[in-house]
Amino acid sequence: MDRDDWGAPERKFHRPEAGLVVHDGTRVEGYASLFGRRDQGGDVVRSGAYAASLKALGAAGRRVKMLWQHDPAQPIGVWDEVREDATGLWVKGRILTEVEKGREAAALLAAGAIDGLSIGYRTVQAERDGKGQRVLSELDLWEVSLVTFPMLAEARVAAKSDALDATWNDLAAMFDSARRSLADR
């Protein structure tokens, strides 16, 4: 079936508990989806659900899109790497500040006003389990968005600010100095 015949994509909101981190205000990396976790819609994504889609995208020379709030008219960056591992769907990309919405997204992330991720996909294969949950075993992944309200409660974006980095660097320097001092005795 052609993608155009499938209608609007479904969305899964996710707060990356596994630590999506923002570096330098524009580089982001972490998990966009965790396997085996029930979201607020009652769905669970099974390990391997994205494999066929990622393989097809790679073979076609295409990428998963980075959007703002699932709006296809508002791409805000690029995902440089999207892959599955034992934990879930891992993403790494760049917010483009040359784009107005990209600048806004970077500012909102830095301020903590937004901190969620959401995937846009089509269900290829799913089944109901004994608990009434929909278990998603194959998904056609279209996009990963930065969003205001994620659906998977365990996931959040953690902004890595320069001030916080400076604090950790100062503490590390203090401990290093103390270690050297003790070693000189």
Side-chain angles (χ1 to χ4, degrees):
M1 180 179 271
D2 190 336
R3 277 186 172 198
D4 296 332
D5 298 334
W6 290 6
E10 294 177 70
R11 297 176 180 144
K12 283 277 164 249
F13 300 98
H14 180 70
R15 295 179 193 136
E17 74 175 12
L20 181 71
V21 178
V22 180
H23 299 279
D24 302 326
T26 60
R27 291 182 301 121
V28 293
E29 62 181 280
Y31 287 92
S33 175
L34 296 174
F35 297 135
R37 301 289 177 96
R38 184 175 191 234
D39 67 21
Q40 294 176 28
D43 291 345
V44 175
V45 178
R46 183 175 284 157
S47 179
Y50 303 102
S53 179
L54 295 175
K55 184 177 179 181
L57 284 168
R62 297 190 335 258
R63 294 182 179 187
V64 173
K65 304 299 182 196
M66 180 190 292
L67 301 180
W68 176 249
Q69 306 281 357
H70 293 295
D71 185 345
Q74 295 188 54
I76 59 168
V78 293
W79 294 115
D80 296 314
E81 190 174 345
V82 180
R83 62 176 163 78
E84 280 188 323
D85 64 18
T87 302
L89 182 69
W90 188 83
V91 296
K92 179 179 179 180
R94 298 168 280 132
I95 297 171
L96 301 176
T97 56
E98 298 83 0
V99 176
E100 183 177 352
K101 274 298 177 198
R103 285 190 300 276
E104 290 176 24
L108 290 167
L109 277 168
I114 63 163
D115 59 1
L117 284 179
S118 179
I119 59 172
Y121 65 95
R122 299 226 193 279
T123 300
V124 176
Q125 187 173 355
E127 58 194 33
R128 293 267 175 207
D129 68 7
K131 301 174 188 173
Q133 302 176 131
R134 189 170 67 143
V135 179
L136 308 173
S137 56
E138 186 177 349
L139 301 174
D140 182 21
L141 182 65
W142 285 31
E143 52 97 0
V144 176
S145 286
L146 292 172
V147 297
T148 306
F149 297 110
M151 187 178 282
L152 188 56
E154 294 94 346
R156 281 281 175 212
V157 174
K160 185 176 179 184
S161 71
D162 292 339
L164 185 57
D165 284 348
T167 301
W168 285 113
N169 288 338
D170 290 344
L171 281 171
M174 182 180 72
F175 284 123
D176 194 44
S177 175
R179 182 188 52 78
R180 281 194 307 265
S181 178
L182 288 170
D184 291 340
R185 288 185 180 183

